[in-house]
Amino acid sequence: MVSRKQQNNNLTDFFEEEYSSLKGYVRSKITHTAESDAEDIIQDVALRIFSRPLDALPIQNIGGFVYNAIRNRIIDVMRTKKERIDNEKTLELLWTEFASMFYEDFTEEYPDQLKERLKEAIAELKPVYRDIVIAVDFEGYTYREISKQTGIPPGTLMSRRHRAMSLLLKKLELVKK
């Protein structure tokens, strides 16, 4: 049975010896990626492996385990990138739909003015309100995902978004009159 310390030493040795091979592997799986993306993926996987609970089963085949973990992380990254690209393609449509929430008599006659006023109104919000509106309504993040990344409770995020929507509504109603 290998001790936790010995296993960490083995993992450290593996990452030091195989780092360039791991980067090459990541780059071969992800097209159009910056070198920092490959390094970020490897560092993320290393952090997760070294942070494993003490009662986790010992790793028998370090190379296989690490490459499998990297492959899984690449799949996650590609899935996220695809979602972001899909979100970017529909951003203009989202601006229009989002604006229509504030204007019941919305017509296609003034969409550019409407979108510009909405962008200005969002930009005028305090950062905590602006960030939650952009993250939830335009980038498609869930409150749980944002909470996990920021450490802010989901209820607080929901309250901030609700407050932001109220402020936007007031700003846009003033313009409408």
Side-chain angles (χ1 to χ4, degrees):
M1 178 114 167
V2 178
S3 71
R4 175 80 175 181
K5 184 178 179 181
Q6 182 59 46
Q7 184 164 314
N8 281 345
N9 288 342
N10 292 345
L11 282 165
T12 301
D13 292 345
F14 178 81
F15 276 103
E16 286 175 358
E17 292 169 11
E18 297 295 321
Y19 191 76
S20 62
S21 296
L22 292 169
K23 277 193 339 188
Y25 175 74
V26 172
R27 279 194 227 114
S28 74
K29 299 295 181 188
I30 298 179
T31 56
H32 308 296
T33 186
E35 183 162 322
S36 64
D37 288 344
E39 291 175 354
D40 290 345
I41 288 171
I42 294 166
Q43 290 173 5
D44 185 46
V45 168
L47 178 65
R48 289 176 190 217
I49 291 173
F50 282 105
S51 300
R52 292 177 56 216
L54 293 174
D55 61 347
L57 293 173
I59 301 169
Q60 301 301 324
N61 177 350
I62 291 176
F65 187 85
V66 170
Y67 275 94
N68 190 43
I70 287 175
R71 181 181 53 87
N72 290 338
R73 183 68 184 122
I74 289 169
I75 291 169
D76 290 344
V77 167
M78 295 304 290
R79 187 176 299 131
T80 303
K81 282 186 179 184
K82 182 186 182 315
E83 290 169 5
R84 294 220 192 284
I85 289 169
D86 290 345
N87 286 341
E88 288 172 11
K89 288 179 182 176
T90 60
L91 186 58
E92 284 302 313
L93 178 62
L94 287 172
W95 277 114
T96 303
E97 288 175 7
F98 189 72
S100 70
M101 289 171 34
F102 297 98
Y103 290 90
E104 291 151 12
D105 58 345
F106 175 74
T107 65
E108 291 295 322
E109 195 172 334
Y110 305 107
D112 290 335
Q113 287 177 324
L114 190 60
K115 287 188 263 184
E116 283 308 309
R117 182 59 199 128
L118 180 60
K119 288 177 185 178
E120 289 170 14
I122 291 173
E124 292 169 4
L125 290 172
K126 289 181 182 179
V128 292
Y129 296 141
R130 181 181 57 239
D131 294 346
I132 191 69
V133 167
I134 291 171
V136 171
D137 295 294
F138 297 104
E139 294 177 346
Y141 286 100
T142 65
Y143 293 109
R144 179 173 279 154
E145 290 171 327
I146 299 167
S147 176
K148 190 175 178 183
Q149 290 290 324
T150 63
I152 300 168
T156 302
L157 296 170
M158 286 184 232
S159 295
R160 286 181 183 173
R161 183 175 172 274
H162 179 76
R163 178 73 176 134
M165 293 304 218
S166 177
L167 292 169
L168 285 173
L169 182 59
K170 285 178 186 174
K171 285 182 181 194
L172 294 173
E173 281 180 347
L174 290 174
V175 171
K176 191 168 136 179
K177 291 180 180 178

